Amino acid sequence: MGLSFKLTPRDVPSVKMQVLVPIMVTALTLLSGLAVFVAIGVDVGDAFTAYFIEPLSTLNGVAEWLLKALPLCLIALGLAVAYRANVWNIGAEGQLVMGGVFATSTMVLLQGTVHSGVLAVIMVFAGVLGGMLWAGLAAWMRTRFNANEILTTLMLVYVAQSVLQYVLVGSAASTAVLQDPNGAGFPQSATFPLEATLPLLASWMTLFEGTRLHVGIFLLFLIVPAFWVLMNKSFIGYQMRVAGLAPAAANYAGFSGKRLVWLVMLISGAMAGLAGALELVGPVGQLQDSWRPGYGFTAIIVAFLGRLNPIGIVLASLLMALLMLGGEALQLAMSLPKSVSSLFQGLLLIFLLGADVLVNYRVSKK
Amino acid sequence: MDIFLTSLIASVLLAAMPLVLAGMGELITEKAGVLNLGVEGMMLMGAVSSFAVALWSGSAWLGVLAGVCVGMLFAALFAFLVVRLLTNQVATGLALTILTTGLSALLGIKFVGQSVTGFTALPIPFLADVPVLGEVFKQSLLAYLSIALVVFLAWWLYHTPSGLLLRAVGESPNSAHAIGFDVVKVRYGATILGGALSGLAGAFISLVQFKAWQEGITGGVGWIAVALVVFATWHPSRLIFGALLFGLMRSMGFAVQAANASVQDILDHSASFASGVLGFLTNAQVLNALPYMATVVILCWISRDWQKIKLNAPASLGQPYNG
């Protein structure tokens, strides 16, 4: 329509374009971000300094950057596994919230009965379970009733947010089970006691004094390699790729589609629940009804930007964490809404999807 | 109970209109073989731009026009990516929604807390005087026109050559191409028409339903509209029925609050178990979650018969076509 060009599929993806596209996409995103700031009359220099420079200019800023990259990376790894198998879990945000609810419930139940130092770990495991439960619901509905998982996982995000409200906000007919009894009726849990939080790096590395960085970050050294092996070296990973690329061939080879859906859903739910629990036992330390970290949605972009590949996802989560951090800085500095960062994230993904045509197709005149 | 029913009927229609419009738009888009998951995003952009223009020009109609145009613009962007550049439709739709969530929040920051006159109710003589049910005939002119538009589109899709062409492209793009039709052009058209309806649905939310703007004002209505298309197994008449059903669930909360006294009355006069159940069901959080839970349950119910879905879904839905 109007633009006359023809796309011819390449035999193999272009290596040159695979390198060029991310650079092009980043440049295009920055340029259009610039255009938006000019259009709404924001000082471009100030906005860009506030967005990209200031957040990383202090050690605390760097720590906050890593703290944001951690959940993004964890969730995106799980999502990448699902997307590779053509299972579209887009409700990680809900699974994350349930992770937080489960972790907090565990604290309320077990506080004072277990050895200190163990409680936080149990809470993290409970969070993983919560995420798996929420994703498992969607897996059950997909395998038992064929219900489209894009819609069920997303609808369950809204339901999870209502659950969060339900357990924290009291009403005439129900008691808010997780609400702080000494909290003057505020819709939040009690502040987590010391044994329900993870140790800070600052406690034995003076370099990190004053930052909120916690030991949870070390999980990445375990989880990233594990996912690399799972995706690239295991038989399950092979089944996922076949199911994603050629569902008919997967059926022919006798791979069970249903088992695969369950598996990838539970893995992605577990990672989202883990991220939610870590967020609470780490930097947040309290469950609030307004808890909407947004990591679950941003991680979708991280997964694509990292090309569904563990190493790529680590890098993409760092970039996206910077965009989120910048969004918050901009909110403070220039009272722009925090969701500005989702504008940048959306632009980045749209440019990436559009530019990927150059990797897989040869463009010629009609 | 009269007050309860009257306010319930009024809010059901208000809540159902955006669903009907956006759902019809998505239905037409999908009938041409394109799965646009950006409905929620196009609605947000329609809502913020129509509110801005209505506020600035003082004319609600100009606002509606702006909402429709902006919806078309973003649908055209989406169509260029998926129809012309053959990008993954699921990922592109998500990207569109994420982008517009941020953009609409940024553009709308100045309008939070402001209000517009919007549209005033235009009661139809005599019919509007009927007790309780008369509420149906006290809508805005925009609502009457929207209903007419949806009915016309439903007729158009099945009873005109161009409607047939659109459906043929969705069933078998290769055959449509072989007999000389331009698949790309039809898919562009269907997607942009879908965007226009989503934009209109957004305008309805900000100018008629709430007469205000706030970040994320659509609250998942766009996603429910996508689910409604599956619920309706791609049939317009079932879509309208489904929208009313979901409108009912979305408005339970409003209606219960509006008629709180009568519910309290029931609570006081019923046995403790029943009042416990009713208390749970009328809990604000449960009511808020109701439309989403219902969407999930009904989606399962409809989808359980895989043959029926396969038979009704456009055969090329979601698949790129490189012409």
Side-chain angles (χ1 to χ4, degrees):
Chain A
M1 217 180 168
L3 303 145
S4 60
F5 57 86
K6 213 178 114 194
L7 301 177
T8 325
R10 291 180 193 270
D11 296 333
V12 280
S14 157
V15 177
K16 192 177 84 181
M17 285 303 171
Q18 272 176 330
V19 179
L20 275 179
V21 160
I23 301 170
M24 246 168 58
V25 165
T26 313
L28 277 171
T29 308
L30 290 178
L31 276 178
S32 22
L34 199 93
V36 171
F37 284 141
V38 171
I40 58 168
V42 170
D43 185 300
V44 174
D46 285 0
F48 267 71
T49 318
Y51 208 120
F52 293 107
I53 312 294
E54 241 149 66
L56 296 188
S57 59
T58 61
L59 178 73
N60 194 38
V62 175
E64 290 297 312
W65 180 40
L66 295 177
L67 273 176
K68 280 204 154 33
L70 171 68
L72 286 177
C73 184
L74 292 174
I75 302 170
L77 284 170
L79 292 182
V81 167
Y83 296 169
R84 278 194 175 203
N86 237 343
V87 174
W88 297 96
N89 176 3
I90 63 169
E93 183 76 5
Q95 294 143 25
L96 173 148
V97 166
M98 289 313 282
V101 169
F102 268 58
T104 312
S105 312
T106 312
M107 182 203 77
V108 172
L109 273 174
L110 296 184
Q111 197 184 349
T113 62
V114 289
H115 227 275
S116 68
V118 182
L119 184 58
V121 178
I122 299 178
M123 286 166 70
V124 169
F125 276 105
V128 170
L129 267 182
M132 285 169 86
L133 174 80
W134 220 235
L137 263 178
W140 176 66
M141 291 190 270
R142 160 84 190 264
T143 52
R144 176 71 180 77
F145 302 107
N146 270 307
N148 180 317
E149 76 279 7
I150 300 174
L151 295 168
T152 52
T153 50
L154 190 90
M155 291 295 136
L156 287 173
V157 175
Y158 292 99
V159 179
Q161 283 168 353
S162 289
V163 171
L164 179 65
Q165 299 273 326
Y166 191 77
V167 295
L168 289 178
V169 185
S171 78
S174 66
T175 41
V177 284
L178 299 186
Q179 194 179 27
D180 181 6
N182 310 317
F186 281 107
Q188 56 194 31
S189 75
T191 315
F192 289 7
L194 195 63
E195 72 262 27
T197 53
L198 289 179
L200 294 178
L201 289 192
S203 58
W204 73 88
M205 290 161 109
T206 44
L207 172 66
F208 293 103
E209 200 113 44
T211 69
R212 300 194 297 166
L213 215 52
H214 57 83
V215 293
I217 197 97
F218 293 129
L219 270 176
L220 285 179
F221 295 105
L222 219 77
I223 286 176
V224 174
F227 269 82
W228 188 82
V229 171
L230 175 74
M231 284 187 197
N232 299 313
K233 294 289 162 209
S234 73
F235 184 55
I236 291 170
Y238 175 68
Q239 288 185 336
M240 282 170 200
R241 268 176 299 166
V242 176
L245 294 172
N251 267 336
Y252 187 71
F255 303 161
S256 161
K258 286 189 177 181
R259 220 187 53 204
L260 200 61
V261 170
W262 269 106
L263 189 70
V264 297
M265 270 293 194
L266 289 180
I267 292 177
S268 51
M271 295 310 282
L274 172 66
L278 279 182
E279 188 70 2
L280 290 187
V281 298
V284 178
Q286 185 182 41
L287 189 65
Q288 292 184 330
D289 77 326
S290 57
W291 189 48
R292 304 262 186 288
Y295 294 127
F297 291 118
T298 306
I300 298 172
I301 301 185
V302 172
F304 281 111
L305 193 64
R307 294 181 185 278
L308 308 185
N309 157 346
I311 311 298
I313 285 171
V314 172
L315 298 175
S317 62
L318 287 171
L319 177 62
M320 276 299 148
L322 181 59
L323 288 185
M324 282 181 98
L325 204 61
E328 282 170 20
L330 211 56
Q331 182 188 24
L332 285 177
M334 320 187 83
S335 60
L336 291 172
K338 191 171 128 191
S339 38
V340 170
S341 60
S342 69
L343 169 63
F344 280 100
Q345 294 163 14
L347 279 172
L348 193 69
L349 184 55
I350 282 201
F351 285 130
L352 182 77
L353 290 165
D356 258 357
V357 80
L358 299 172
V359 176
N360 298 313
Y361 295 90
R362 224 181 285 282
V363 184
S364 55
K365 274 209 147 159
K366 229 174 190 168
Chain B
M1 246 2 225
D2 259 15
I3 314 161
F4 178 72
L5 274 182
T6 313
S7 64
L8 186 65
I9 290 175
S11 56
V12 166
L13 286 172
L14 272 183
M17 277 311 295
L19 278 169
V20 174
L21 289 168
M24 194 66 194
E26 181 65 11
L27 189 144
I28 291 171
T29 308
E30 290 191 15
K31 275 283 184 191
V34 179
L35 177 68
N36 186 351
L37 293 183
V39 179
E40 177 86 355
M42 295 188 298
M43 283 177 71
L44 276 172
M45 288 311 296
V48 73
S49 49
S50 59
F51 189 81
V53 170
L55 198 66
W56 163 79
S57 70
S59 159
W61 287 105
L62 271 182
V64 170
L65 185 69
V68 170
C69 290
V70 168
M72 289 168 81
L73 188 76
F74 279 87
L77 170 73
F78 175 81
F80 174 70
L81 286 162
V82 304
V83 176
R84 210 61 192 84
L85 298 185
L86 309 172
T87 59
N88 179 314
Q89 299 189 5
V90 174
T92 311
L94 289 175
L96 185 67
T97 300
I98 293 170
L99 170 98
T100 47
T101 306
L103 188 59
S104 61
L106 185 63
L107 295 175
I109 188 98
K110 294 180 202 125
F111 309 128
V112 177
Q114 302 207 50
S115 68
V116 288
T117 357
F119 288 92
T120 43
L122 200 77
I124 296 177
F126 305 118
L127 289 176
D129 299 333
V130 178
V132 184
L133 272 182
E135 209 55 41
V136 177
F137 304 101
K138 288 180 198 162
Q139 305 300 314
S140 59
L141 184 54
L142 184 69
Y144 297 130
L145 288 177
S146 300
I147 293 167
L149 176 68
V150 168
V151 171
F152 166 76
L153 286 172
W155 172 84
W156 166 76
L157 199 57
Y158 285 91
H159 295 94
T160 63
S162 50
L164 176 65
L165 171 61
L166 188 145
R167 287 181 294 129
V169 163
E171 289 302 335
S172 174
N174 288 319
S175 318
H177 176 74
I179 53 173
F181 291 108
D182 190 339
V183 173
V184 169
K185 211 175 260 180
V186 171
R187 288 195 163 173
Y188 257 109
T191 311
I192 292 173
L193 179 56
L197 286 164
S198 288
L200 181 57
F204 202 93
I205 287 180
S206 66
L207 294 182
V208 181
Q209 201 180 0
F210 295 111
K211 297 187 191 337
W213 163 259
Q214 72 180 59
E215 204 178 318
I217 193 168
T218 49
V221 170
W223 289 103
I224 294 182
V226 176
L228 262 185
V229 179
V230 182
F231 169 80
T233 52
W234 293 269
H235 285 286
S237 54
R238 288 180 215 156
L239 182 94
I240 295 170
F241 167 72
L244 286 170
L245 189 69
F246 280 97
L248 176 69
M249 281 178 271
R250 273 192 80 81
S251 48
M252 288 296 262
F254 302 122
V256 166
Q257 275 157 11
N260 215 351
S262 47
V263 173
Q264 199 54 53
D265 213 37
I266 303 169
L267 283 175
D268 290 347
H269 289 93
S270 47
S272 62
F273 174 72
S275 85
V277 173
L278 201 67
F280 176 76
L281 287 177
T282 52
N283 177 289
Q285 283 85 43
V286 176
L287 283 172
N288 279 338
L290 190 64
Y292 308 108
M293 291 195 282
T295 307
V296 167
V297 171
I298 293 177
L299 205 63
C300 288
W301 176 255
I302 298 292
S303 311
R304 76 196 191 290
D305 188 352
W306 183 233
Q307 292 300 326
K308 195 174 156 197
I309 292 286
K310 272 203 109 162
L311 222 56
N312 286 293
S316 76
L317 184 61
Q319 287 162 16
Y321 173 80
N322 192 2

